[in-house]
Every structure is written in structure tokens, then in C-alpha cells.
Amino acid sequence: MFNIQQSYDQAAKHDALIIGLFEKKQLTNTAQEVDGFLDGQITTLKKNKKISTKRGKVTPLYTLQKIECDVIYIVGLGKEEELDAEGLREVFAAAGKKAGRDRSKNIAIDLDSFRSEAAELEDLAVLAGESLALSTYQVADYKEKTNEVDVSIEEVTFYAVSGTEGLVEAADCGFAYGNGTNRARKLINIPGNLLTPTELAKEAKELADQHGFEYDVLEKEDMEKLGMGALLAVAKGSDEPPKMIVLKYQAKETWDDVLGFVGKGLTFDSGGISIKPRENMHQMKMDMGGAAAVLGAMDIIGEMKPDVNVLAVIPSSENMLNGSALKPGDVIRAMDGKTIEVRNTDAEGRLILADGVAYAKQLGATNLVDVATLTGAVLIALGDCTTGAVTNNESFMEEVLEASVETGEWIWRLPSYKPYRDMLKTSDVADLNNAPGRLAGSITAGLFIGEFAGDTPWVHLDIAGTAWNSKPNNLCPLGGTGVMARTLAQLAMNREEIE
């Protein structure tokens, strides 16, 4: 898909050419060559301020067949000293989205024009590949279709005068990260009647077949034998059978030092007996955003093939209400033997994750990250742009934070002091209380899961605020974001370097 050229050829055929323009910077060699073929139009328009240098502003310039390229997109980059990695994602996405809307198949990017002290060519190639994938993703709908043929970007040519070694590999890496995120988005956006636990297991099997992962799924009978009372209790209210989905990526000779991902796979959440309000309940198809993130990360890992062992575990069910549904006041027993008093059936994610985390440990995970759309409280605390985190191991938490900085997916660590843990022990009839109250709701929910991680280094990521995008932008349309897919994959890649 990606290729490199050092100089621009007037006869080179592209549907679009993308050139970045800083506020106070001369045109690059490639831009100057193109400007010459266009009789100085870029220079003239820039001088007369007809081309905006405002960051993210895309100005189309039609070539009128003076070169074998239909249109040039001049992308404003703002002040060079203010453009960071996140800003670069945005400007590449703005250009990619414009090219996608114009049904471009073959595009070119003057990569030198985006270069600054903050980003060298290899970084730019990664960000360009990632942003092109993210910006051109479209949510599948179920409306009547036209006969118009779908068109997507199939070829990208980077123009760079020097330092081109490794750029194709870097762009491929970024594109893999973007596509893994899009895979997660696709799953989140599927309606609950079409993505049941059974269908989610099929999606995982398809991923395993694609990348050669080991695949397994536990059925209800298997869970009963293993004593997975928490997951089974949540699933009782639904006619859909639960699944415990497992993927293994083994890059080492022995199955040790295993990085474990556990994703909440609640394919629809009504709240159960503690039923949710009707407003926006249709969005609860996204309650499997943690499972989607894990599968998206595994897709990236399958493409990148780091030299690490990775385990993915997805407890999956629906949270519905019928005559057999879990009731407030019920006492259930999790896989590791702990008893739980259910004070709130809408606090079900932590229940299925309890068995998921315990099972991941049984399968050999030596470090654990669970990802879940867990609490509404995290939106109150952090809004919709930052993921909340709880941990039992500061060193491992730092690894996760480093990965999140590299991918631009923000995480904020919440405290885990003893008074919060004590709140979980407030049941008169069981070891744990699944909903000790509104105070510190995101913290206690995370620490509840931590009770089942035990001494295993563990990080909990609450993506209830970040898994769904209600304000579409160039990087993500309305709907599932696929958040944390890239961070989890980057964590695996970084652990390869550590080892």
C-alpha cells in the first residue's frame, strides 16, 4: 500500500497530493517542484493569504491537468513549535478524511512538509499510516443501499528527499494500529441483536484463524464445572448463552511471562432487575467495548508479531431480566471461591470480570490488564476524553501509562488506599459487596476486580467515558472509538523491548 519516492514527477498519477504548510516556513523541495509545474500558484496563493495555515484547515487546489494529479490538498499546520504528535494525528486525519470523501484511491503525501523538530520522518510515517486508517473508517449502517461502488484509499506514495529507509515499515505499523482500532470500533457499533456472545465468539475465532492464534471457548457447562458462579449469575437473565472466550499468542518457546488482557464482553446491558433509564439505553450495545479493545489489540499484535506471550480472555454475556435473573440481595460464589452479595444488578461488569481475571490467572497470566466500560462515575470524574485506572502495582502501571502516552490515549491513575478497599467488605452476608455506594464509585468498582487479581501485577482501565464518541471528529465518527486497542498493543510491543 505504501511506497516512497524522493522527487516528484509531473507525470506521476495521483488522485490527490497532500502538502503541509506551516505558518512561517518555506516550501519543501517537493512542494517547490509542484509549484513550478503549476506556474507558482501555491506561492501566489500563500502570499495573498488565500491558503490557510490554521492547523487542520484543508484548502483544495485543483491542478487543471497541469500535472497528472487531480487536486492538491494544502493542510494548515499552524506554528511549527506548537505541533506535537496529537496535532499531527489531527492534521493527517483532516487530509485523509477529505481524500476519503472525494473517493480517492491513490494519494501522495509530501512527508517532508510535515517535518519538524518534534517529529522525524519515521514518526511521521507511523502517524500518517495510523491516521489514514482511523480517519477513513465509516460506521456500517443498515439503511437501504445505493448502487454506488465503495471506494477506499488503496495506495499511498510518500515524497521525501532523504532519510527514507524504514518509512514503509513505519507506515505499515501505523496502519496496523489504525486498522486494529477500527476492528474494535466495528464490533462496538454492531447492534446487540446481531452481536450476541455467540457472535462475539465467532468474531474472535475469525481473528484467531487470520493470525494463527490458539482459540478456545468455554460453554455454560464448562463454566459450571469450573465454578464460574459470577459470570453464570449475570447470564441467567438472558436467553443467550454466555461464553468465556480465550485467545493465545505464543511467541516464546515456553508459556511463561504471559501478558494477560481481560475484556468485558457484555454485548447488551439493560441493567437487569436494577434496570437502567430508557434514555440512551440503545447505546448499551457498547458495553462490550473492553472486549472490542482486547480483540483490536490482538489484531495489531497478530500483524506486528512481538516476541512476547499474550493471553486474551473475554467473559461474555448479556445482562437482561427474566424470571431467572439475578436479584438484588442474592449471594453468589465466584470462580476463586469468594462470595459476593449483589446489591445492584447493574454492577454486573465487575462480576463477569471477576471470573475472567481468575481464569486468566489459571491460564498462566503473570501480568494482567482488564478493560471495561465499567462505571458512569468515571464520566463524572474524568469526562469523555480520559480513561480511569486503578492498580496494585506501580511499576506495571508505569508501563501502561508509557504505552498510553505513545498512542495518545490518555489515562489517569486513581487512588487505591485502604479505606476504598474496606468499602468492598461491607456486606453482612458475603465476602464482598458488589456496589458499596456512590462514593468513589469508579475506584471501588476497579478494586473489586483487583480482589480477584490478588498479588498478580494488575491494572484496571475504566473506558466507560472514552469508548463512545458522541461528538464526531476527523479521527473518529459518532459511535465506538476502539479506545485502548492501541495502548494494549503498544504495551505488548514495549515489553518485547524490555525483555
Side-chain angles (χ1 to χ4, degrees):
M1 178 174 181
F2 297 97
N3 60 81
I4 308 293
Q5 295 292 332
Q6 290 184 311
S7 62
Y8 185 82
D9 185 342
Q10 188 175 7
K13 294 186 177 181
H14 304 298
D15 295 327
L17 169 63
I18 298 168
I19 297 174
L21 193 63
F22 286 103
E23 270 190 21
K24 298 178 181 179
K25 199 169 183 179
Q26 298 299 314
L27 297 179
T28 61
N29 288 0
T30 297
Q32 287 178 20
E33 289 175 350
V34 173
D35 193 35
F37 296 138
L38 299 179
D39 302 323
Q41 288 188 56
I42 298 176
T43 300
T44 301
L45 291 171
K46 181 185 177 189
K47 182 179 179 180
N48 295 332
K49 298 183 179 180
K50 299 296 184 181
I51 296 175
S52 175
T53 59
K54 182 180 178 182
R55 184 192 296 180
K57 178 69 175 178
V58 180
T59 305
L61 176 60
Y62 296 96
T63 64
L64 304 178
Q65 300 181 334
K66 291 183 178 181
I67 57 176
E68 290 294 323
C69 177
D70 296 336
V71 62
I72 298 170
Y73 297 129
I74 307 295
V75 186
L77 302 180
K79 296 179 180 179
E80 181 178 354
E81 63 273 16
E82 295 179 358
L83 188 62
D84 56 10
E86 191 60 32
L88 283 164
R89 284 190 181 92
E90 292 172 1
V91 296
F92 279 128
K97 197 171 189 67
K98 177 63 175 171
R101 284 176 175 168
D102 289 348
R103 300 172 62 79
S104 299
K105 290 184 179 180
N106 178 340
I107 69 171
I109 300 176
D110 176 11
L111 207 59
D112 284 332
S113 66
F114 292 85
R115 196 170 185 170
S116 67
E117 291 185 5
E120 293 300 317
L121 283 179
E122 189 170 326
D123 300 320
L124 292 172
V126 171
L127 292 170
E130 179 184 277
S131 300
L132 286 174
L134 295 175
S135 63
T136 54
Y137 168 77
Q138 295 182 359
V139 177
D141 62 45
Y142 305 90
K143 298 179 181 180
E144 186 176 355
K145 304 300 180 186
T146 68
N147 292 325
E148 190 174 45
V149 177
D150 290 335
V151 173
S152 60
I153 296 172
E154 299 174 357
E155 184 176 357
V156 180
T157 300
F158 291 132
Y159 285 99
V161 173
S162 61
T164 59
E165 185 177 352
L167 291 189
V168 170
E169 293 79 3
D172 285 338
C173 171
F175 199 65
Y177 273 59
N179 281 335
T181 303
N182 288 344
R183 190 171 201 139
R185 291 173 171 179
K186 182 199 79 169
L187 294 173
I188 296 170
N189 290 325
I190 298 174
N193 64 319
L194 301 180
L195 189 73
T196 62
T198 299
E199 293 301 318
L200 184 61
K202 290 180 181 178
E203 292 280 351
K205 178 63 164 60
E206 180 182 307
L207 184 64
D209 291 342
Q210 178 182 339
H211 295 297
F213 300 146
E214 183 180 335
Y215 168 84
D216 190 26
V217 61
L218 299 185
E219 304 294 347
K220 180 181 177 182
E221 296 76 14
D222 304 311
M223 299 176 203
E224 290 171 343
K225 291 176 183 177
L226 291 170
M228 294 182 175
L231 173 55
L232 289 169
V234 173
K236 281 172 61 179
S238 172
D239 293 339
E240 293 289 340
K243 306 287 179 180
M244 182 70 83
I245 304 162
V246 178
L247 296 176
K248 289 184 180 179
Y249 167 77
Q250 184 170 350
K252 296 183 176 182
E253 187 174 341
T254 57
W255 185 246
D256 53 20
D257 197 15
V258 178
L259 177 62
F261 300 146
V262 183
K264 176 185 171 184
L266 222 293
T267 58
F268 188 79
D269 181 17
S270 70
I273 297 297
S274 307
I275 194 166
K276 294 178 179 292
R278 71 175 185 270
E279 290 79 9
N280 296 324
M281 193 195 285
H282 65 284
Q283 292 181 358
M284 284 299 101
K285 63 183 180 180
M286 53 83 79
D287 212 21
M288 39 63 64
V294 167
L295 291 177
M298 294 301 289
D299 190 18
I300 299 168
I301 289 167
E303 291 289 339
M304 301 303 299
K305 296 179 172 54
D307 188 24
V308 294
N309 292 332
V310 183
L311 169 71
V313 174
I314 296 171
S316 183
S317 69
E318 293 182 333
N319 187 25
M320 302 293 286
L321 54 166
N322 60 20
S324 302
L326 186 65
K327 303 177 293 296
D330 284 358
V331 175
I332 59 178
R333 187 179 298 275
M335 179 184 173
D336 76 341
K338 292 185 179 68
T339 56
I340 304 163
E341 181 185 7
V342 178
R343 295 281 184 90
N344 182 352
T345 66
D346 194 25
E348 85 298 326
R350 66 202 72 179
L351 299 179
I352 69 172
L353 286 167
D355 283 342
V357 166
Y359 192 50
K361 288 175 62 178
Q362 182 174 304
L363 294 177
T366 54
N367 290 77
L368 283 165
V369 182
D370 80 79
V371 192
T373 49
L374 204 66
T375 67
V378 79
L379 283 99
I380 306 302
L382 300 175
D384 60 2
C385 60
T386 304
T387 292
V390 179
T391 188
N392 66 0
N393 186 286
E394 292 301 316
S395 177
F396 187 45
M397 183 75 243
E398 288 300 323
E399 288 186 49
V400 176
L401 288 173
E402 180 182 347
S404 75
V405 169
E406 292 179 67
T407 58
E409 296 184 318
W410 300 335
I411 293 174
W412 187 262
R413 173 175 34 195
L414 298 168
S416 56
Y417 302 126
K418 185 176 181 295
Y420 299 122
R421 297 194 298 273
D422 289 343
M423 292 169 70
L424 301 172
K425 311 294 176 61
T426 52
S427 170
D428 296 329
V429 293
D431 297 321
L432 297 171
N433 172 355
N434 87 318
R438 295 185 65 187
L439 293 180
S442 294
I443 297 172
T444 57
L447 290 175
F448 180 94
I449 301 165
E451 289 289 317
F452 300 87
D455 295 330
T456 302
W458 155 84
V459 170
H460 158 70
L461 299 174
D462 189 340
I463 60 171
T466 52
W468 187 264
N469 191 24
S470 57
K471 298 177 182 178
N473 54 56
N474 288 328
L475 280 164
C476 183
L478 179 70
T481 64
V483 72
M484 291 298 125
R486 287 176 289 153
T487 293
L488 294 181
Q490 190 62 42
L491 176 64
M493 297 297 294
N494 290 352
R495 288 184 72 81
E496 176 186 43
E497 296 175 5
I498 291 172
E499 295 166 11

